[in-house]
Amino acid sequence: KQEVTQIPAALSVPEGENLVLNCSFTDSAIYNLQWFRQDPGKGLTSLLLIQSSQREQTSGRLNASLDKSSGRSTLYIAASQPGDSATYLCAVWGTYKYIFGTGTRLKVLA
Amino acid sequence: SAVISQKPSRDICQRGTSLTIQCQVDSQVTMMFWYRQQPGQSLTLIATANQGSEATYESGFVIDKFPISRPNLTFSTLTVSNMSPEDSSIYLCSVAGARNEQFFGPGTRLTVL
């Protein structure tokens, strides 16, 4: 059974720092991995999708990497801003469904 | 990407009643998903709804409690039946686009008194 864990559970950093969020999964037989952002009380916004054949994807200040063999993905946020404050979720697509991670609650201090 | 709307955006309901949540997509999609997000928790998949077939429910979720309709390729409903305070959650629908990328609706925040 696929399990997805995110570390740390919460993170508070000063504005301008570069930071890394981690996502681990137990079954490496995945088709893709997706990172989302969720603001309090809101739905999920897709940030990056990495297909199983890819190693990384970039969008603006965000870079996500995928290492299937070790069951890990990282989301790198460069030059963090207060507007980046949100909960970040990773999800892996296995057999016709996504399994979500536990989430990292990020707060960027001005 | 797909644009998804949900109705209602929030509701406060009495114990023992039922609520039907609607999910509308701006394009035709094969797979739609319903999730529950309990307070402070991550997302848990309730069921997968494919047009023209019965919904597939995950372990711990049953059709009598969460009946789902999928009348066409752009619309689905989830009903939360015989509600109790434990059903207080955010309910989200999503669709799988090309490459199985998922897109989410804004969610329905349900409070059961």
Side-chain angles (χ1 to χ4, degrees):
Chain A
K1 178 187 172 187
Q2 179 74 272
E3 293 184 1
V4 184
T5 305
Q6 291 184 243
I7 294 174
L11 184 62
S12 185
V13 300
E15 181 178 8
E17 274 205 8
N18 302 324
L19 52 99
V20 175
L21 308 182
N22 297 291
C23 173
S24 301
F25 46 96
T26 55
D27 185 351
S28 62
I30 65 170
Y31 291 98
N32 61 37
L33 184 146
Q34 196 168 352
W35 282 93
F36 296 89
R37 168 190 172 132
Q38 186 177 32
D39 293 289
K42 306 288 187 181
L44 276 69
T45 300
S46 177
L47 296 174
L48 289 164
L49 172 76
I50 310 176
Q51 295 183 288
S52 62
S53 58
Q54 298 173 322
R55 299 282 297 190
E56 66 178 319
Q57 282 288 320
T58 298
S59 176
R61 295 183 293 109
L62 305 179
N63 175 276
S65 66
L66 174 64
D67 184 343
K68 275 184 58 178
S69 61
S70 66
R72 293 181 183 176
S73 176
T74 61
L75 178 67
Y76 176 83
I77 303 177
S80 58
Q81 304 170 357
D84 295 330
S85 298
T87 295
Y88 290 81
L89 294 155
C90 67
V92 298
W93 177 270
T95 309
Y96 301 112
K97 64 182 179 182
Y98 269 105
I99 303 296
F100 275 81
T102 47
T104 293
R105 193 167 58 253
L106 172 66
K107 186 168 186 178
V108 181
L109 305 170
Chain B
S1 65
V3 178
I4 303 166
S5 60
Q6 282 185 237
K7 290 181 182 179
S9 59
R10 59 176 60 221
D11 207 340
I12 301 173
C13 300
Q14 295 297 319
R15 180 196 299 260
T17 62
S18 297
L19 175 72
T20 296
I21 302 168
Q22 299 179 6
C23 179
Q24 180 76 52
V25 189
D26 69 341
S27 57
Q28 294 185 337
V29 294
T30 302
M31 300 178 77
M32 294 181 76
F33 305 87
W34 286 98
Y35 289 87
R36 181 175 74 182
Q37 187 176 31
Q38 294 177 301
Q41 303 295 314
S42 188
L43 277 71
T44 301
L45 182 63
I46 298 172
T48 302
N50 293 330
Q51 196 268 339
S53 64
E54 294 280 330
T56 302
Y57 288 83
E58 296 297 304
S59 176
F61 297 96
V62 295
I63 188 171
D64 289 346
K65 175 68 175 176
F66 297 101
I68 288 171
S69 77
R70 182 80 200 274
N72 57 52
L73 291 173
T74 64
F75 187 78
S76 179
T77 67
L78 169 75
T79 299
V80 186
S81 303
N82 188 25
M83 289 184 286
S84 67
E86 292 71 35
D87 294 318
S88 297
S89 296
I90 298 175
Y91 291 86
L92 299 126
C93 73
S94 73
V95 302
R99 306 175 300 165
N100 291 322
E101 184 172 7
Q102 280 217 318
F103 301 97
F104 279 82
T108 296
R109 182 183 289 273
L110 171 62
T111 301
V112 184
L113 304 178

